[in-house]
Amino acid sequence: MMKQTEYSRIIAGAMTWGQWGKGFGSDEISDLIAYCSDIGLTTFDHADIYGGYTTEADFGAGFLRSGVPREKVQFISKCGIQFDSEKRPNVVKHYDYTKAYIIWSVEQSLKNLQTEYLDLLLLHRPSPLMEPDEISEAIASLTKDGKIKSFGVSNFLPSQIALLETSVAVSANQVEFSLTSNEVMYNGILDDCRAKNRMAMSWSPLGSYFKEGTTKEKRIEKAMRPLLEKYNVSADQLLLAWILKHPAQVRPVVGTATKSRLKDALMAMEIDLELQDWFLLLEASQGCEVP
């Protein structure tokens, strides 16, 4: 299994850096990579599909200009999702986990990211048609050739990981986890990460708190008000601190491309959220006290 200390506790998610968000050019991406590296946010999360299969190349051009040594940062990427786009003419959205495709996809990511290896490759979502032996052959080949260091999954249930592990070890799982979307605490996913020493990562760690304004979000906002003053923090930081307290040692993948918010995210690690405050927020999310 991987050494978890190799990855920064907060991970920079690059999904919105390119065409699916800020539309940054290479100069802006270069500057942001250097900034992240300087403040200790050294792990960058990608997927081949981001920006309609364009963001990895945008990031790679920026990385090349940044001058940041490759050994000082960690690159995570995902493969498997195929959908119709200018870069990939497909008839229907689907998953492809054939040996040839996995190897080809990783080689494309390496070329686009301007790197010789990925620190971690993830299968993006489980496919009903995935064959563990074929996936294992692809991972073995990529590992032997030094193109990936570790292998994991994203959005997989424990049973789906168990199926894969009949042929290949799985060292990480990146899943949706936030105060407003916390099912992974109850469906066995985070328990599996703890029991099997997998690195757990959380995408969309702020959840829907800033998006919807439903009854749930209003309950959470009310519960948070005194805590924001008590801990002298922002709502973003408190939401991250809630995740960070979980014993699975979950690493939030923060999607912001704003420097001040990235720095604030790192400062969330300094918040020592008290036990009863953690449960106050959980109760607000659930709308009732714990059983």
Side-chain angles (χ1 to χ4, degrees), residues 78 122-126 152-156 172-175 203:
K78 314 174 196 72
L122 305 177
L123 302 187
H124 206 152
R125 288 189 179 273
V153 296
S154 183
N155 305 297
F156 274 55
N173 195 4
Q174 184 179 126
V175 295
W203 58 265

Side-chain angles (χ1 to χ4, degrees), residues 205-226:
L206 303 183
S208 60
Y209 180 78
F210 293 104
K211 298 176 182 178
E212 298 178 5
T214 65
T215 302
K216 176 191 286 190
E217 282 71 40
K218 291 176 181 177
R219 288 197 308 264
I220 294 173
E221 182 183 10
K222 182 178 179 180
M224 285 178 65
R225 284 178 200 150

Side-chain angles (χ1 to χ4, degrees), residues 26 29-35 59-69:
S26 58
I29 290 176
S30 172
D31 180 62
L32 194 53
I33 292 170
Y35 177 79
F59 182 96
F63 176 64
L64 198 62
R65 296 170 69 98
S66 72
V68 174

Side-chain angles (χ1 to χ4, degrees), residues 19-276:
Q19 290 187 19
W20 283 2
K22 295 291 187 179
F24 285 160
S26 58
D27 286 342
E28 294 162 305
I29 290 176
S30 172
D31 180 62
L32 194 53
I33 292 170
Y35 177 79
C36 287
S37 178
D38 286 344
I39 65 173
L41 207 165
T42 61
T43 303
F44 299 88
D45 179 77
H46 294 272
D48 57 351
I49 66 170
Y50 292 165
Y53 304 97
T54 65
T55 299
E56 284 187 327
D58 292 338
F59 182 96
F63 176 64
L64 198 62
R65 296 170 69 98
S66 72
V68 174
R70 177 62 179 89
E71 64 272 15
K72 299 295 185 181
V73 292
Q74 304 81 45
F75 290 172
I76 299 170
S77 196
K78 314 174 196 72
C79 74
I81 297 178
Q82 289 266 41
F83 64 86
D84 185 36
S85 71
E86 291 184 8
K87 294 283 186 179
R88 303 274 182 93
N90 285 297
V91 175
V92 64
K93 182 179 179 183
H94 63 283
Y95 309 116
D96 190 341
Y97 290 132
T98 57
K99 177 182 177 181
Y101 178 76
I102 293 172
I103 292 173
W104 177 84
S105 182
V106 169
E107 289 173 344
Q108 291 300 305
S109 289
L110 297 181
K111 178 182 177 181
N112 290 332
L113 290 169
Q114 305 277 357
T115 184
E116 295 181 352
Y117 64 92
L118 295 176
D119 295 272
L120 176 60
L121 169 69
L122 305 177
L123 302 187
H124 206 152
R125 288 189 179 273
S127 170
L129 300 180
M130 62 186 180
E131 291 285 357
D133 289 346
E134 186 159 8
I135 291 170
S136 177
E137 290 178 10
I139 300 310
S141 175
L142 291 165
T143 303
K144 179 177 178 293
D145 293 342
K147 295 176 180 178
I148 65 171
K149 289 189 173 184
S150 296
F151 168 68
V153 296
S154 183
N155 305 297
F156 274 55
L157 294 170
S159 61
Q160 294 162 334
I161 295 176
L163 174 63
L164 279 184
E165 288 203 314
T166 60
S167 293
V168 59
V170 175
S171 55
N173 195 4
Q174 184 179 126
V175 295
E176 183 178 13
F177 178 42
S178 65
L179 180 58
T180 60
S181 182
N182 52 57
E183 292 84 0
V184 292
M185 295 196 302
Y186 305 107
N187 63 11
I189 288 178
L190 293 187
D191 294 336
D192 171 76
C193 288
R194 295 184 68 192
K196 301 298 177 63
N197 194 32
R198 308 189 208 283
M199 181 169 75
M201 292 168 280
S202 160
W203 58 265
S204 192
L206 303 183
S208 60
Y209 180 78
F210 293 104
K211 298 176 182 178
E212 298 178 5
T214 65
T215 302
K216 176 191 286 190
E217 282 71 40
K218 291 176 181 177
R219 288 197 308 264
I220 294 173
E221 182 183 10
K222 182 178 179 180
M224 285 178 65
R225 284 178 200 150
L227 300 182
L228 297 177
E229 183 175 349
K230 175 180 179 178
Y231 293 99
N232 190 27
V233 295
S234 67
D236 305 49
Q237 290 172 318
L238 192 59
L239 291 167
L240 291 175
W242 188 87
I243 291 174
L244 293 168
K245 190 173 180 65
H246 194 281
Q249 295 293 300
V250 181
R251 284 171 164 75
V253 179
V254 296
T256 183
T258 302
K259 288 181 178 180
S260 60
R261 293 189 66 194
L262 286 166
K263 187 173 183 179
D264 285 347
L266 283 178
M267 292 174 63
M269 295 189 297
E270 301 174 10
I271 302 170
D272 185 14
L273 191 60
E274 294 178 8
L275 179 67
Q276 292 193 55

